[in-house]
Amino acid sequence: MKVAVGVTGGISAYKAAELVRELQQKGLEVQVIMTAHAQEFIRPLTFAALTGQKVITQMFSSQQQEANIESAIEHIAVAQSIDLLIVAPATADVLAKMAQGIADDFLTTLYLATKAPVIVAPAMNVNMWEHPATQENIERLRQRGVHVVEPDSGYLACGMTGPGRLASTGAIIERVAEVLGLRQDLKGEVVLVTAGPTREAIDPIRYISNRSSGKMGYALAEAAQRRGARTVLVSGPTALHPPEGTELIPVTTAAEMRAAVLEWFPKATVIIKAAAVADFRPQKTTLQKIRKANKPLSLVLEPTEDILSEIVRQKEDRIVIGFAAETENLVASARAKLKAKHLDLIVANDVSQAESGIDSDFNTVTLLGCNGLEKHLPRLRKIEVANEILNEVVNLRSHGKTGKPRSR
Ligand code: CTP
């Protein structure tokens, strides 16, 4: 696999040399691109020596003035040949250009021309990082699917303290491995994910449901799949495409979801119940459409089966993770569910927040573990939340809290 590393002009540009080495040690081919300002901080020769490849330092080389068509379209050739673009360190300036689609040098042109995933690792002065302009640009890039490796906090070269230091090489490499699907820490696991809402019919055309989009469950299936697990996705009705490689079991009602989960449960080693299962269904579903009448209509609802409570009875050594959609007393209510349902982990979700949670691409959650874990995560994209949850699965395994099912 081939990776392009864009180095921009910051004090931490020298750290990109270590990053390049680590990428090579992962067996990746590396093409370095430097902006003009980056070359004020570190010489291209360093990268050329490390990679054994010419470092791209400008859009138009002097030879090109002799009508060298190959280098005139080099950005397109590089754009098509790479599996990933990493910009590290990424200055406020390059982030602004990327957010706006300005393509005035090789790196920013490459960003527009490539369809490969993109990772940025910002590094700058704390005030520049916290400036609304930079934060808006970062947000815009995130919305577009760019992966952001947040800067570390600490003592900065400018003498100030705060967030702005380039993330550690380890953190950047971890993200690279994740994006490229190199992290295979769930190999051997069979992850069963439930996602989306359920629909409970009132009559042939009407139903009771909820606002769940399924995005969180689909992100979990995608992340688990990328990390090497066999992934089965039992999904209520959603508008989403199933992630490549996952086995999709489409269902509509809570009863169908229960049947599918019980069928797959014996084979699963990890069960993650992200679905927003209806708690009630109409006691009777009429065969014909209910006609309009000028009087109130009462529906009698009966409870559905609690799938999660049912499966934990046969849990054995499987890891079982639930979600807790709460509108008040987030941690206390979720911890009560964790205990009552005998779960290994619960993902507490404050669904009263407008900008994250149900139907959003983002989520702000707290992870609560049976081992006392209480981890408040910042507002993250759902794929990042998914990876945080899966990190806890790996942790639970490594601490031997739960093993694979004994009955397999
Ligand atoms: N769940 C389930 N079967 C149901 C209802 C919920 O398996 N019939 C699962 C959900 O997938 C979720 C967890 O139970 O992982 C908690 O769901 P939530 O709706 O937050 O809680 P409830 O147990 O339904 O309790 P309440 O609605 O009173 O908050």
Side-chain angles (χ1 to χ4, degrees), residues 273 275 277-279 304-308 322-326 337 341:
K273 294 230 60 225
V277 188
D279 287 332
T304 57
E305 303 78 14
D306 191 313
I307 307 169
L308 202 44
F323 273 67
E326 305 294 346
K337 272 181 206 172
K341 298 197 181 189

Side-chain angles (χ1 to χ4, degrees), residues 211 324-331 333 347-360 362-365 379 382:
R211 291 201 296 119
E326 305 294 346
T327 50
E328 55 186 354
N329 302 328
L330 181 73
V331 171
S333 312
V347 184
N349 202 352
D350 185 349
V351 287
S352 62
Q353 290 186 22
E355 76 285 4
S356 73
I358 284 189
D359 202 20
S360 156
F362 292 83
N363 218 347
T364 311
V365 303
R379 181 171 180 265
K382 285 185 172 170

Side-chain angles (χ1 to χ4, degrees), residues 19 23 86 88 119 121 149 166-177:
L19 175 65
L23 290 168
I86 309 168
I119 296 177
V149 186
L166 182 66
S168 69
T169 304
I172 302 171
I173 291 286
E174 206 174 290
R175 190 64 68 88
V176 170

